[in-house]
Amino acid sequence: MLGGLALSLAAPRALAAEARYRLSITPKPYADALIELGVQSNVSIIGTSACGPGGNVGVVGVLSLDEALTRLLAGAPCSYKVLDPRTVRIAEAAPTRAPEPIRAVNLVAELLVTATKRPASVSRLPASVTVITRDQIELTGAADVVQTTGQLSGVLTTNLGPGRDKLILRGLSDGAFTGRARSSVGSYLDDAPVNYNAPDPDLRLVDIERIEVVRGPQGALYGSGSLSGVYRIVTRKPDMTGFAFGAAGTTASTVGGAPSNEFEAYANLPLYRDVAAVRVVGYRDVQGGFIDNTSLRLSNVDRTERDGGRAALRLQPNDAWQLDLALTAQRLRSKDTQYTTPSAANATSRQTRVQEGHKNDFSEASATLRGELGWATLRATVAMTDHVFSSQYDASAPDVLKDFGALPSDLGVYYERTRVNMVEQDTVLRSSRPGPLSWLIGLYGIATVEKTPTALEIQSPTGPLERVYTEQRRDRVREAAAYGEAAYQFRPRWTAAFGGRLFSSDVKTVAEIVARPPGVSRTFEGSRGFQGFSPKLSLQYEFASGDLVYGLFSEGYRPGGFNSGGFFQIRDSRLSFKPDRLRNYEIGWKSRLLEKRLAVRAAVFFDQWTNIQTDQYRPSGLPFTGNVGDAELTGLEAEASYDFSFGLSVQASGLWAASKITRTNTDFAPQLISSLPGVPKLSGGVVAVYQRALPRNLTLRLVGEASYVGGSALSFDASKPSQMGEYARIKLSAQLAGRDWNATLFVTNPTNARGDTFAYGNPFTFGTVRQSTPQRPRTVGLRLAVNY
């Protein structure tokens, strides 16, 4: 009986080998051919860049996966390994004779992405897509989302501090603050959403397969959380074929600041060959502070601690079905914020009467089922998210406390805490057979409950803290949607696609406000429903050379909501805010030139944004959400990568964006700036990697990374002018690597520049006290890593 069980459990690999696919892959470089194999066979092929830029291979016929891979990679400088019936990993071939010069890290390689909810080649998608591979993440030492932005065209972030930032794509900024408006960027961990309207949780990038960014509104496929695009973190999955372990430690020293240290580790363990495996990740890092609080006589107050991990289980009962279970948790604590006030003693100090700490705890459990039905592929994901974050502010500004009879010498402390619980399901059915017509249909649902208690306390020099204002608020959001997309090759090289999403959202808010006179205590209850359709249309032409040109129209949207808080009764016109909608018109070009060593991608776009939602602050310092008006944005984004023959690979990206406000809501503010805030006209970055083989099978890698962010205004409100930007970020590193280990010496901000990265920190003095966030001073560090 045990023998029969073992035979049945071993069957998946045999069945995978016997499954046959009708393939038609014309001759092309190894990496391109493998990507095309993955698309035509509906198999995930990871690490195609290991084959380098060479080759001219193809296959035609009805073949098994093993047969196709064997033919394509005959004589190639790479090999393949079937991890499970739906996943293949490509790696450099082991040398059989004297070791050859080690291939340079390739920033030009063709890549397979799934952010569009189907496997597709980046160079053949009618959309603006960028991918950062695992090699690039590790070489550049990108530890979190903020540290990847300089490597991605059109991706920016605010810099309030760890666990407090928001992403901005393509210059489509609704302002620098987070509040009731849903995030304009859909952030995902694999197939599960990370947040609703919260700041980014700042998940540490450990054991990551790749990062995928799709720019432009993705309302048809992702719904209301993707007004300006999608940022997706794809983790490495359990490998059923063998044990693996890796660990790394980092120590760093900052000029004028406290030391920092990091530790991370991962392990992969097959539980039963070809049937089950588990993968676990753990990490902890401490970022030493460099800001001093002269009022409290404290140094390096902005220390941040982050620890967390992931656990993933993959079950493969047969070659047709696969189940992934995942659990992610992270805890982040910042003792204080990182902004400064120019009136303080020096450029890295400020004066506040309390420490303005922040906490951000994130946990998520998800289950994803994938199945092959013969005529289609099913993917169903269920995820549950618990996100808790809180902040404390010095609210001692006289204009804030005077309504409660406080004296200038009195201390004010404001507390806010938010807990968001989300349950989401997304079921997608897509075509799996090759042919001129491909399609997908999906059903989506999400339920969100957000609880937000806030409080203001005042303390006289001789008395205890007294609570003078509280709000207990609860928001419930329900959204259901049906969506689909179909692409048809109606003529050779011509493909047209149409898709859309039919959605319905319901929002309900209940709040209880208690305020000491002359403040007004009250209750609030409101509910609204929103329905609509978000379309998508594209047309593309692929040249014989593989170049692609495309035109795209897409839309994004966000539901409306309610305002409830404030010391006094809110006037009727500000009790609610309307939905906003963004329409995108785009023309793009993608090309591989100079024997495929040069990859170029560019897009020109024009966006119309109506009823823009924005989170702002009243003069009292309390938040509200309003519709600022309408805007138009015209932009050009471009990316180029070149792989030199002597071991150097260079990648450059840039965004030019010009926006203007076309209609103003005079109820929002008496005077607005003329463009979108937080958006420089020009931003960009460059990454260069040089690799050289050394004796004793060692490798030297030199990495340089630089990015530039132009100047911009912080707020829509012209009465609060606050300029920021006009700075560059630089990081240099040198790595010595062996077969299973590497050591990296790095320096960030080598010139010790102090550009203002974010002109905000405290809502109660914003507009009256100049606030700025300097770059972290020069930091030198050493990282040691092992992988087995």
Side-chain angles (χ1 to χ4, degrees), residues 104-418:
V105 174
N106 187 2
L107 300 179
V108 189
E110 184 59 36
L111 298 165
L112 186 72
V113 298
T114 54
T116 53
K117 300 196 176 184
R118 68 177 77 185
S121 165
V122 170
S123 65
R124 297 178 64 183
L125 275 173
S128 183
V129 182
T130 301
V131 179
I132 303 179
T133 64
R134 176 165 58 98
D135 285 346
Q136 188 169 334
I137 293 171
E138 294 177 353
L139 279 173
T140 58
D144 48 39
V145 170
V146 173
Q147 295 181 25
T148 67
T149 55
Q151 304 175 43
L152 297 161
S153 175
V155 181
L156 299 172
T157 181
T158 60
N159 194 27
L160 186 57
R164 309 180 78 177
D165 297 322
K166 64 186 292 185
L167 278 169
I168 300 170
L169 295 186
R170 253 193 187 173
L172 294 166
S173 169
D174 59 0
F177 316 119
T178 55
R180 305 297 176 191
R182 185 162 188 184
S183 302
S184 62
V185 178
S187 297
Y188 284 77
L189 182 65
D190 291 319
D191 298 310
V194 169
N195 64 1
Y196 185 81
N197 59 0
D200 186 85
D202 222 8
L203 298 176
R204 185 170 174 82
L205 301 178
V206 180
D207 201 34
I208 300 300
E209 187 64 51
R210 64 186 180 273
I211 291 171
E212 302 176 351
V213 176
V214 186
R215 290 177 291 273
Q218 302 298 312
L221 291 183
Y222 283 92
S224 63
S226 58
L227 190 80
S228 61
V230 170
Y231 186 103
R232 182 167 178 256
I233 301 171
V234 181
T235 62
R236 297 185 71 185
K237 302 302 186 292
D239 180 354
M240 301 180 188
T241 64
F243 172 80
F245 170 79
T250 302
T251 182
S253 176
T254 299
V255 173
S260 303
N261 56 79
E262 305 169 357
F263 178 77
E264 61 188 53
Y266 71 88
N268 183 89
L269 179 65
L271 301 179
Y272 199 99
R273 186 172 178 84
D274 300 335
V275 176
V278 65
R279 196 175 190 97
V280 294
V281 172
Y283 55 85
R284 174 175 171 77
D285 66 63
V286 176
Q287 180 178 282
F290 65 94
I291 302 296
D292 300 333
N293 189 320
T294 56
S295 294
L296 300 178
R297 298 183 180 179
L298 296 175
S299 299
N300 306 325
V301 294
D302 54 317
R303 171 188 168 100
T304 297
E305 298 180 2
R306 174 172 53 182
D307 49 70
R310 297 194 311 271
L313 172 66
R314 169 163 286 186
L315 301 174
Q316 186 87 44
N318 55 50
D319 64 330
W321 292 93
Q322 184 181 85
L323 177 64
D324 284 319
L325 304 176
L327 178 64
T328 301
Q330 180 176 280
R331 170 186 171 275
L332 187 148
R333 298 287 185 273
S334 291
K335 294 182 65 176
D336 211 332
T337 52
Q338 59 186 23
Y339 74 94
T340 65
T341 52
S343 59
N346 57 62
T348 57
S349 65
R350 72 163 182 274
Q351 297 170 333
T352 55
R353 298 171 64 184
V354 298
Q355 286 191 273
E356 299 179 338
H358 177 75
K359 299 178 181 179
N360 195 317
D361 296 337
F362 176 87
S363 60
E364 185 171 79
S366 66
T368 299
L369 177 68
R370 295 177 178 84
E372 295 297 331
L373 307 179
W375 54 277
T377 299
L378 174 72
R379 179 188 61 75
T381 297
V382 177
M384 295 179 291
T385 304
D386 182 36
H387 194 183
V388 183
F389 51 97
S390 61
S391 297
Q392 173 178 293
Y393 295 100
D394 182 353
S396 303
D399 288 344
V400 177
L401 305 184
K402 66 181 180 181
D403 291 327
F404 297 101
L407 300 175
S409 59
D410 289 350
L411 173 69
V413 184
Y414 181 76
Y415 311 90
E416 60 181 12
R417 183 179 186 272
T418 301

Side-chain angles (χ1 to χ4, degrees), residues 20-23 60-64 67:
R20 306 185 75 79
Y21 307 93
R22 185 174 299 278
L23 304 173
V60 177
V62 179
L63 304 170
S64 70
E67 290 171 342

Side-chain angles (χ1 to χ4, degrees), residues 515-754:
R516 191 179 77 179
V520 179
S521 298
R522 60 201 184 275
T523 60
F524 174 85
E525 183 171 346
S527 60
R528 297 180 66 185
F530 309 92
Q531 297 80 36
F533 178 76
S534 182
K536 176 183 177 182
L537 178 66
S538 68
L539 178 66
Q540 66 187 74
Y541 178 79
E542 185 174 353
F543 294 88
S545 62
D547 292 2
L548 181 80
V549 292
Y550 68 88
L552 172 68
F553 169 77
S554 58
E555 280 194 2
Y557 65 92
R558 292 186 292 186
F562 299 97
N563 292 307
S564 59
F567 299 150
F568 305 100
Q569 183 72 46
I570 304 173
R571 63 177 183 261
D572 291 344
S573 62
R574 289 196 173 184
L575 279 174
S576 64
F577 54 94
K578 300 176 182 178
D580 60 353
R581 183 174 291 267
L582 187 139
R583 292 180 172 88
N584 172 66
Y585 306 85
E586 179 178 334
I587 297 175
W589 169 59
K590 301 181 180 184
S591 181
R592 300 281 297 277
L593 306 168
L594 304 179
E595 299 180 341
K596 306 296 184 181
R597 289 185 174 274
L598 174 65
V600 180
R601 294 189 288 269
V604 178
F605 55 91
F606 174 72
D607 293 324
Q608 295 176 314
W609 198 351
T610 57
N611 289 325
I612 302 170
Q613 295 176 12
T614 181
D615 297 309
Q616 299 291 318
Y617 291 100
R618 299 182 178 91
S620 65
L622 298 187
F624 76 100
T625 304
N627 297 101
V628 69
D630 302 342
E632 294 179 350
L633 185 142
T634 303
L636 168 65
E637 60 188 13
E639 297 177 317
S641 303
Y642 188 77
D643 212 13
F644 292 88
S645 59
F646 55 87
L648 176 66
S649 195
V650 179
Q651 172 186 289
S653 62
L655 170 69
W656 174 83
S659 62
K660 64 177 180 179
I661 304 296
T662 58
R663 182 186 65 85
T664 60
N665 177 7
T666 55
D667 186 58
F668 173 81
Q671 186 179 3
L672 301 180
I673 62 174
S674 60
S675 59
L676 296 176
V679 181
K681 279 194 174 182
L682 185 64
S683 61
V686 61
V687 178
V689 179
Y690 174 74
Q691 183 165 292
R692 182 181 179 86
L694 300 177
R696 300 178 182 269
N697 290 328
L698 298 178
T699 304
L700 173 67
R701 297 187 180 101
L702 304 178
V703 181
E705 180 182 355
S707 61
Y708 170 77
V709 178
S712 64
L714 178 71
S715 172
F716 280 105
D717 191 346
S719 67
K720 299 178 179 179
S722 192
Q723 295 295 313
M724 60 185 182
E726 296 286 358
Y727 66 91
R729 284 179 171 156
I730 300 174
K731 181 176 182 179
L732 305 173
S733 66
Q735 181 185 94
L736 183 65
R739 180 179 177 82
D740 301 315
W741 61 271
N742 62 74
T744 305
L745 182 67
F746 64 87
V747 55
T748 62
N749 193 9
T751 63
N752 212 29
R754 292 181 175 176

Side-chain angles (χ1 to χ4, degrees), residues 489-511:
Q489 186 176 352
F490 60 93
R491 293 189 62 184
R493 307 192 188 284
W494 285 95
T495 302
F498 174 76
R501 187 183 194 93
L502 188 65
F503 64 89
S504 176
S505 299
D506 293 293
V507 179
K508 182 176 181 180
T509 299
V510 178

